[in-house]
């Protein structure tokens, strides 16, 4: 019997695979390994060199090249993927649950006549059935769904699988081919990547971060967060709602639409732990969360946690740290 195919569409930026690409490969590898299925990793690029010798957890890496694939362009990607996926006829296509994955899932679903399962944190197979666990309502609810037969397209939540399993100790078969479809006439053209200006603290370089979530309740409480961060020798960062209310500049936002950080200590104060936020801080060395809600999803990623009122804790903690430092 010909083994079933799992296709991973690998995201990349600046000549590097993104974390979610490796996590998606880890998911495909775990699923395929137990079932004897075959994993193909698709990488769409202009220059194949940085990707040719990667020890990815796939049976085959197929690198498709074209000048139009240098930066992510949903129109170009969709055109190439529809062509390739019709040829490969996989059982499962895995993408990240990211803006890239979301841009592609709709057109691929229509073009291939396949259902999309979004927000997946786990993918399993039982006989012919593919089973998916998805996060809903910012991680507070889980949904189970199944695709009984035929192709399924799944969007995997960042952080759901260990990205280290996405790499093995050998380079798989690597094929490089030019785009099988012409990409000169696209309805959408990528112009440039606009990076934020770094006029403020660079939170990606600070070893201790005090993260202010909506639980801090008002702009006035930013000062207390700043005092705590100063006592610890760190800086304040924030969730999106705090930035949206202009309590802190956009350069301090952590998460999917902000910065990705890996500090030695991430002290999350009044942060619920929505997947979009966790994506940007989950690899911190030590995560300590303070939240009055014992069911807040931040406690799923925290190493230590306290269900206390941060507004009572922060001034006392700041004074204790200052005293310990002899200030
Ligand atoms: C496409 C997209 C991209 C996004 N990108 C990002 C992103 O980059 N970064 C990001 O952060 N979010 C992002 N979001 C938003 C994200 O989904 C969440 O809405 C957001 O992270 C929630 O922020 P929060 O934890 O501060 O607020 P909330 O979810 O409102 O949580 C506040 C928490 O504070 C706790 N609390 C309240 N009072 C106290 C108290 N006195 N003491 C202790 N705890 C208290 C509450 O129990 C609650 O858990 C994005 C959303 C989308 C759809």
């Amino acid at each position: 019997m010909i083994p079933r195919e799992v296709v991973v569409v690998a995201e990349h930026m600046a000549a590097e695979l993104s974390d979610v690409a490796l996590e998606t490969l880890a998911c495909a590898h775990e699923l395929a390994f137990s079932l004897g299925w075959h994993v193909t990793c698709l990488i769409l690029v202009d220059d194949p060199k940085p990707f040719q010798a990667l020890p990815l957890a796939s049976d085959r890496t197929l690198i498709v090249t074209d000048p139009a694939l240098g930066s992510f362009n949903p129109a170009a990607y969709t055109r190439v993927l529809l062509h390739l996926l019709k040829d490969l006829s996989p059982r499962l296509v895995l993408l990240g649950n990211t803006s890239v994955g979301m841009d592609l899932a709709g057109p691929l679903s229509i073009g291939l006549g396949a259902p999309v399962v979004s927000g997946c944190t786990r993918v399993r197979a039982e006989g012919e059935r593919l089973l998916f666990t998805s996060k809903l309502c910012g991680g507070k609810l889980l949904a189970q769904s199944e695709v009984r037969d035929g192709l399924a397209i799944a969007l995997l939540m960042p952080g759901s699988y260990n990205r280290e399993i996405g790499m093995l100790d050998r380079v798989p078969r690597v094929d490089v081919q030019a785009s099988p479809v012409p990409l000169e006439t696209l309805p959408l053209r990528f112009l440039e990547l606009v990076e934020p200006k770094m006029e403020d603290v660079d939170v990606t370089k600070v070893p201790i971060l005090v993260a202010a979530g909506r639980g801090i309740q008002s702009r006035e409480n930013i000062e207390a967060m700043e005092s705590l961060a100063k006592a610890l020798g760190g800086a304040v960062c924030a969730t999106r709602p705090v930035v949206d209310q202009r309590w802190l500049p956009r350069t301090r936002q952590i998460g999917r639409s902000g910065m990705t950080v890996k500090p030695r200590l991430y002290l999350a104060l009044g942060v619920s732990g929505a997947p979009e936020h966790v994506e940007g801080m989950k690899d911190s060395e030590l995560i300590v969360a303070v939240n009055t809600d014992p069911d807040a999803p931040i406690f799923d990623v925290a190493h230590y946690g306290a269900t206390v009122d941060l507004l009572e804790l922060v001034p006392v903690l700041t004074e204790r740290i200052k005293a310990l430092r002899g200030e």
Side-chain angles (χ1 to χ4, degrees), residues 2 6 16 45 51 53 66 69 81 103 115 131 137 153 155 162 171 185 210 219 228 230 293 295 304:
I2 302 167
V6 181
E16 263 188 47
V45 280
F51 304 97
D66 191 281
L69 298 171
L81 288 173
D103 267 358
L131 301 165
C137 300
I153 299 169
L155 301 181
N162 181 351
V171 178
T185 52
V210 174
R219 182 198 288 265
L228 176 58
K230 193 170 165 221
D293 175 4
D295 296 324
Y304 296 96

Side-chain angles (χ1 to χ4, degrees), residues 151-167:
L151 170 64
I153 299 169
L155 301 181
L156 197 75
M157 291 301 285
S160 303
Y161 281 78
N162 181 351
R163 68 175 187 278
E164 279 161 28
I165 297 171
M167 292 266 203

Side-chain angles (χ1 to χ4, degrees), residues 214 239-240 253-257 270 272 276-277 291 309-310:
R214 189 154 35 194
T239 61
R240 191 162 99 173
Q253 183 180 319
I254 308 300
R256 180 176 303 171
S257 41
S272 60
E276 295 84 4
H277 182 77
N291 196 308
D309 185 334
L310 75 92

Side-chain angles (χ1 to χ4, degrees), residues 16-78:
E16 263 188 47
L17 286 189
S18 60
D19 283 356
V20 75
L22 296 176
E23 292 160 11
T24 313
L25 273 165
C27 170
H29 176 70
E30 276 188 21
L31 183 76
F33 188 73
S34 57
L35 298 163
W37 289 9
H38 190 271
V39 178
T40 296
C41 176
L42 286 182
I43 306 178
L44 278 49
V45 280
D46 53 349
D47 175 11
K49 274 190 230 86
F51 304 97
Q52 271 171 301
L54 295 178
L56 301 179
S58 56
D59 298 286
R60 178 188 182 209
T61 299
L62 175 56
I63 306 179
V64 179
T65 63
D66 191 281
L69 298 171
S71 293
F72 176 65
N73 178 333
Y77 264 57
T78 303

Side-chain angles (χ1 to χ4, degrees), residues 80 180 313:
V80 174
L313 176 77

